[in-house]
Amino acid sequence: MKKLLFCMAACAVLALCMTGCSSQQTFEEGSYSSAGEEVRAVTVDVSDREVLIGVSADGQVRIEYSESEKEYYDISLSEEGELTMTLVLDKQWTDFIGTKPAIEDRTIRLYLPDGLLSSLKVTTTNEEIVLSPLSVAGSVALDSNGGDVRFDSVLVGAEASFAAKNGNIVGSLVGGWDDFSISCTVKKGESNLPESKPGGEKSLAVDCNNGDVAIEFV
């Protein structure tokens, strides 16, 4: 009797899983734009998304993305000029069973004016963050849990913070070695940075778990 009940329960769960796996989401392309002078800070907080960041050619802040009825974004601009983008998941537990949507539906492209922002903060999971050459007047913070953090020739006015778990941190910062005070924590990986270096008008904080760190100053 117990074995029969177990089999019936297993079949019920399997049926639910099949329903969840067979349901298809329809993703549609979306976009957001705002005049660059209206935006002072940008915060992106998402999961299972690749985030690609580049310089805006027209001086505006632009975001390109795809969303569905179950996975969509809340984008808002505060009176203080902080632009926030967060992922909203409107799902039942069976919707999480099966394969992920295609990577093109899970990619965010963010275009920012060069040198105008006081703060840029991006957090994601299971995918990488890629930051092309960009100047930020204040601070930059990039954090990926489950993917790489990569950046090239980034100029920060005050602070740079990079974190990765099960991924690498690789990139270059504009400036010299003596321009930065450094704090670096690495577990299960290699690093070309010291654990600590005092001095410097700017700060660099690095935290990497199960990955390598390679940061150059250019």
Side-chain angles (χ1 to χ4, degrees), residues 34-55:
S34 182
E37 59 269 17
E38 296 178 354
V39 181
R40 289 293 172 262
V42 173
T43 299
V44 177
D45 187 3
V46 294
S47 58
D48 293 323
R49 293 300 188 268
E50 179 183 58
V51 184
L52 309 179
I53 309 163
V55 174

Side-chain angles (χ1 to χ4, degrees), residues 23-39:
S23 61
Q24 297 292 325
Q25 295 188 66
T26 301
F27 281 84
E28 296 182 355
E29 294 182 356
S31 64
Y32 171 91
S33 64
S34 182
E37 59 269 17
E38 296 178 354
V39 181

Side-chain angles (χ1 to χ4, degrees), residues 6 10 14 64 82 85 97 129 131 142 160 165 184-185 194 213 215:
F6 176 80
L14 179 61
E64 298 175 356
E82 180 178 5
M85 178 182 192
I97 301 172
I129 301 172
L131 175 57
L142 309 179
K165 184 175 182 180
C184 181
T185 302
V213 173
I215 297 178

Side-chain angles (χ1 to χ4, degrees), residues 146-169:
D148 293 343
V149 172
R150 298 192 285 124
F151 50 95
D152 179 33
S153 299
V154 173
L155 174 62
V156 296
E159 302 176 8
S161 174
F162 307 108
K165 184 175 182 180
N166 297 324
N168 302 314
I169 300 175

Side-chain angles (χ1 to χ4, degrees), residues 55-91:
V55 174
S56 171
D58 56 8
Q60 292 202 2
V61 173
R62 292 187 293 112
I63 311 175
E64 298 175 356
Y65 53 87
S66 295
E67 59 185 358
S68 71
E69 68 282 359
K70 295 182 178 181
E71 301 183 28
Y72 52 92
Y73 300 99
D74 181 10
I75 303 175
S76 62
L77 179 63
S78 71
E79 294 181 357
E80 294 75 23
E82 180 178 5
L83 176 65
T84 59
M85 178 182 192
T86 57
L87 176 64
V88 180
L89 299 178
D90 186 10
K91 291 183 172 185

